[in-house]
Amino acid sequence: MAITLLDPEGLPKIGAYRQVSVATGTRLVFVAGQVAWDAEGTTVGAGDLVAQVEQCYLNIGTALAAAGGSFDDVAKLTVYVVDWTPDKLPLFLEGAARAAAKLGVTPVPPGTLVGVAALDVPEHLVEIEATAVLA
């Protein structure tokens, strides 16, 4: 399995993610949207976007490991943020960086960020889902 991340000429280079991922492998893994719940189902970081983004990424890492993969296998992330405004980007990136440091990865696959009015539980500020390709 291999994921090759690209930033083709003619598209802007965005530091937080790559524009294209080319995946080869035999198994697709779809990780359900992860919110800031710990293993007991308690919300981590109520009111704290940084802490919630970090927990979402850590949860994705746990889910991928259970399938025999890691963030190196992720072809695409989709992120939903409550009441998104561009000034929240540094908080989002800080949470992702904290999780990446704990996981020992650089999670920069292509991604889509969508602002939403609300999520399943009022204290959840972010939800992240992942698609991965494994050998």
Side-chain angles (χ1 to χ4, degrees):
M1 187 299 307
I3 299 283
T4 303
L5 301 175
L6 306 171
D7 276 329
E9 290 296 322
L11 294 177
K13 293 184 180 11
I14 310 294
Y17 62 89
R18 300 298 179 266
Q19 294 285 4
V20 176
S21 73
V22 179
T24 57
T26 58
R27 293 188 303 146
L28 286 176
V29 177
F30 299 94
V31 177
Q34 296 298 303
V35 293
W37 277 330
D38 64 14
E40 289 75 42
T42 302
T43 298
V44 173
D48 182 346
L49 183 60
V50 174
Q52 289 199 18
V53 168
E54 178 182 10
Q55 186 64 44
C56 290
Y57 272 87
L58 294 174
N59 290 349
I60 290 170
T62 298
L64 291 169
S70 73
F71 263 97
D72 291 335
D73 303 307
V74 174
K76 174 123 180 6
L77 292 173
T78 304
V79 179
Y80 305 93
V81 182
V82 174
D83 297 326
W84 175 258
T85 55
D87 62 309
K88 293 180 181 178
L89 183 59
L91 300 172
F92 178 85
L93 294 175
E94 182 181 341
R98 285 179 15 184
K102 288 182 179 177
L103 295 167
V105 299
T106 304
V108 293
T112 300
L113 190 150
V114 180
V116 297
L119 292 170
D120 62 329
V121 175
E123 62 264 17
H124 289 162
L125 304 175
V126 61
E127 182 170 336
I128 305 173
E129 61 186 29
T131 303
V133 180
L134 283 65

